[in-house]
Amino acid sequence: MAISRDSNLVDYLFPSGASQSINLLRDILLVVGFSIFTALCAQVSFHIPYTPVPITLQTLAVLLTGAALGSKRGGLAMLIYLAEGAIGLPVFAGGTGGFIHLIGFTGGYLWSYPVAAFVTGLLCERRLERRFLTSALAMLPGSLIIYAFGAPWLTIVGIPTPHGIFHPNLLQALILGMLPFIPGDLFKLFLAAVLLPMAWMLVRKVKPERN
């Protein structure tokens, strides 16, 4: 079954028109806009002991971006976000930037964002994000992908300690790079799964769904 473009929230709000140039401009603005949204969410961050990876609202932004924009534009928005950081713009956690962050301690998590947004968008294109339970189930794989990229990365780059760089094994990396973040990520998953159906409910009141 073909998936219509207005299965995404932004396409429902701003449907494509006859002009390809206008549609392209709209998509560029949306993709760049959501990359900026992710950068703003990254500034809400704080560190916890025993791990160099901060807790931020980036993962919430990744899930919302994929759900709202769909797979291709969601993934592209995250690629643009990484490019913005790579060239030195202060878009990463704590207002930092530079390519070093893409190969540093948080690099695995950052590289996971385009994949997580793409997969979340792909599931939400099936209109799963319009109800709380299916929305949560659609976004859960995105959160797991972030862990799958980020935690094993720590076995390669190591973890800074007062005595130097400690290279954990995979189990240790999962404990240090995943377990501390599960409560916060479950809350962000819950929040995203609440926000998307609420957004759909509001926009359909303003703009009734087409048959």
Side-chain angles (χ1 to χ4, degrees):
M1 181 179 68
I3 303 298
S4 63
R5 284 177 62 84
D6 64 0
S7 61
N8 301 319
L9 182 62
V10 296
D11 286 319
Y12 187 89
L13 278 171
F14 310 108
S16 57
S19 172
Q20 291 186 351
S21 58
I22 295 296
N23 292 338
L24 177 60
L25 177 61
R26 181 203 60 168
D27 287 343
I28 290 173
L29 292 175
L30 286 170
V31 166
V32 173
F34 272 85
S35 75
I36 295 172
F37 169 65
T38 306
L40 293 174
C41 288
Q43 307 318 306
V44 182
S45 68
F46 59 92
H47 284 272
I48 57 177
Y50 312 115
T51 175
V53 182
I55 293 177
T56 75
L57 291 183
Q58 282 169 297
T59 50
L60 175 63
V62 171
L63 298 178
L64 291 176
T65 297
L69 293 184
S71 55
K72 293 179 181 178
R73 288 175 302 180
L76 181 58
M78 291 301 101
L79 286 174
I80 290 176
Y81 170 68
L82 297 186
E84 291 166 350
I87 64 175
L89 295 179
V91 298
F92 295 147
T96 58
F99 185 77
I100 187 65
H101 292 279
L102 296 179
I103 57 175
F105 304 116
T106 59
Y109 299 92
L110 292 171
W111 285 115
S112 74
Y113 291 170
V115 181
F118 180 89
V119 171
T120 300
L122 197 64
L123 293 171
C124 289
E125 284 168 2
R126 273 66 184 171
R127 305 189 180 192
L128 297 179
E129 86 286 15
R130 302 192 184 194
R131 288 175 174 78
F132 170 76
L133 182 58
T134 55
S135 180
L137 292 175
M139 295 181 188
L140 180 60
S143 294
L144 295 177
I145 287 169
I146 294 173
Y147 289 141
F149 277 64
W153 182 270
L154 296 174
T155 66
I156 301 172
V157 299
I159 295 174
T161 72
H163 308 290
I165 300 297
F166 165 62
H167 287 272
N169 59 37
L170 183 58
L171 178 59
Q172 292 168 328
L174 290 173
I175 292 173
L176 296 172
M178 182 177 74
L179 288 184
F181 305 101
I182 289 178
D185 285 338
L186 285 176
F187 174 74
K188 286 180 277 188
L189 180 68
F190 171 83
L191 186 59
V194 168
L195 289 175
L196 264 298
M198 286 180 59
W200 271 108
M201 181 179 65
L202 290 173
V203 299
R204 282 186 291 193
K205 284 185 177 180
V206 175
K207 188 177 181 181
E209 192 163 9
R210 298 185 295 270
N211 294 323

